[in-house]
Amino acid sequence: MENDCLFCKIIKGEIPSSKVYEDDDVLAFRDINPAAPIHILLIPKKHIASLAEVKKEDGELIAKMHQVVNKIADQEGFKKSGYRLIVNCGKDSGQEVMHLHFHILAGVKMGDKIV
Ligand code: AMP
Ligand code: ZN
């Protein structure tokens, strides 16, 4: 946990969030500024600053995050229609919050342009 990290504060409950899924390892909540009808952020409870900081010992956690994405897709009813998973990493991607997060976008037919 990092004291000045926004997402660590959300994990600790110091900042409210609209929770979608939680277990011992991960937390998912709705993005405050959604880019699609469904926009969920999935984060590890362990503070990892970005994808670039993922270590070998995080392998199980990262694999679990992908399993949880599908659990959420099932739970929220968009497993069949599909979704897009985005991870911003570093300056050029526009990463604003330095705590690893998966953007799960769904609920609309998306185009093929990223930028
Ligand atoms: P990124 O640009 O990849 O770092 O994404 C950060 C995301 O966090 C953005 O989509 C923001 O809308 C979202 N965000 C920032 N503050 C909050 C918050 N308090 N609750 C939910 N989502 C947030
Ligand atoms: Zn953090």
Side-chain angles (χ1 to χ4, degrees):
M1 293 278 179
E2 295 267 314
N3 285 335
D4 57 353
C5 169
L6 177 68
F7 287 173
C8 282
K9 285 181 180 164
I10 286 179
I11 292 164
K12 286 186 274 189
E14 291 172 9
I15 291 175
S17 69
S18 174
K19 280 183 201 175
V20 172
Y21 176 88
E22 182 170 21
D23 65 26
D24 288 348
D25 303 311
V26 302
L27 173 68
F29 52 95
R30 298 193 191 279
D31 196 292
I32 206 166
N33 184 22
I38 300 170
H39 187 169
I40 294 165
L41 299 175
L42 174 63
I43 64 175
K45 288 192 172 176
K46 175 183 177 184
H47 179 88
I48 300 171
S50 78
L51 197 60
E53 301 297 320
V54 169
K55 304 279 187 285
K56 199 173 178 188
E57 66 260 27
D58 300 318
E60 218 173 295
L61 176 60
I62 300 300
K64 180 179 176 169
M65 287 177 71
H66 288 80
Q67 289 165 346
V68 169
V69 169
N70 279 314
K71 199 177 273 194
I72 291 168
D74 210 10
Q75 177 189 305
E76 299 298 307
F78 58 83
K79 195 166 188 171
K80 234 181 176 177
S81 49
Y83 56 84
R84 180 172 286 168
L85 194 64
I86 295 176
V87 182
N88 290 323
C89 180
K91 192 162 53 73
D92 278 0
S93 75
Q95 183 181 2
E96 283 177 358
V97 180
M98 294 308 286
H99 181 128
L100 177 64
H101 50 284
F102 287 2
H103 294 261
I104 308 166
L105 302 171
V108 69
K109 178 91 177 73
M110 285 167 255
D112 54 8
K113 292 262 192 303
I114 299 294
V115 290

